[in-house]
Amino acid sequence: NAGVTQTPKFRILKIGQSMTLQCAQDMNHNYMYWYRQDPGMGLKLIYYSVGAGITDKGEVPNGYNVSRSTTEDFPLRLELAAPSQTSVYFCATTGTYSYEQYFGPGTRLTVT
Amino acid sequence: QQQVKQSPQSLIVQKGGISIINCAYENTAFDYFPWYQQFPGKGPALLIAIRPDVSEKKEGRFTISFNKSAKQFSLHIMDSQPGDSATYFCAASMLTGANNLFFGTGTRLTVIP
């Protein structure tokens, strides 16, 4: 039981490049979330999903896209990377009748 | 706009001392207040949480105090240990819906031996 896995762990992108951050969970949870963490700012919600095929915007969705075709996977897409997207990205999940969110180990992304 | 305000930004405590971190919120619709602990290079992990129908919750050395009228809550770590050195985040959410968490800005706690 791996919980929540994220790949890659680290990535350096050039401005204007695109990439997909992968998130997978084996907890059979319906709810999944993407957060970004910036120094001194805490974690901000980018997008979330309450089940396969259903996604919605969080606090800071601009510049990102998501999809949820299966319960297990919730990829985050950056189409045109900008320096402002340099951050640590965390994926999290929770069950329908649970309050606790379980976080993955994070992806550290640098855009130069 | 920061929905949950957290202080202090950093805290240094002697081993055996009490660590206190404070948070405040404005949205009275929040009904779930967790604290997350994060070690360097790791994702946050739930430490303890409280609902607004109680004023205090204790789990081992960790206690949440909740003041609904003041819209404030705090984390107390008794007998602080070097292993407690981490970043602590308070958060708030509305359990109806998707339980989206609004995080404070974090407190870096250092417990010195």
Side-chain angles (χ1 to χ4, degrees), chain A residues 6 9 16 28-29 43 62 82 93:
Chain A
Q6 292 184 239
K9 288 191 189 315
N28 201 30
H29 285 169
L43 289 88
N62 291 345
T93 182

Side-chain angles (χ1 to χ4, degrees), chain A residues 35-52:
Chain A
Y35 295 90
R36 60 177 287 172
Q37 182 177 21
D38 301 299
M41 298 295 292
L43 289 88
K44 299 285 188 184
L45 182 66
I46 305 171
Y47 269 96
Y48 66 97
S49 170
V50 299

Side-chain angles (χ1 to χ4, degrees), chain A residues 34 44-48 56-62, chain B residues 100 102:
Chain A
W34 274 105
K44 299 285 188 184
L45 182 66
I46 305 171
Y47 269 96
Y48 66 97
D56 208 345
K57 296 177 181 178
E59 293 181 86
V60 290
N62 291 345
Chain B
N100 296 340
F102 293 89

Side-chain angles (χ1 to χ4, degrees), chain B residues 45-111:
Chain B
L46 181 65
L47 183 65
I48 187 173
I50 197 167
R51 300 290 307 276
D53 51 347
V54 297
S55 60
E56 186 175 280
K57 183 173 181 181
K58 184 175 181 178
E59 289 184 3
R61 296 184 293 108
F62 301 91
T63 300
I64 300 178
S65 297
F66 186 82
N67 186 329
K68 189 173 181 178
S69 61
K71 292 185 284 186
Q72 294 175 348
F73 58 111
S74 59
L75 176 69
H76 295 236
I77 305 174
M78 310 300 288
D79 187 26
S80 299
Q81 299 296 313
D84 297 331
S85 297
T87 299
Y88 292 82
F89 293 95
C90 61
S93 73
M94 291 169 273
L95 290 179
T96 54
N99 189 18
N100 296 340
L101 287 171
F102 293 89
F103 283 88
T105 51
T107 296
R108 178 173 288 186
L109 171 66
T110 302
V111 181

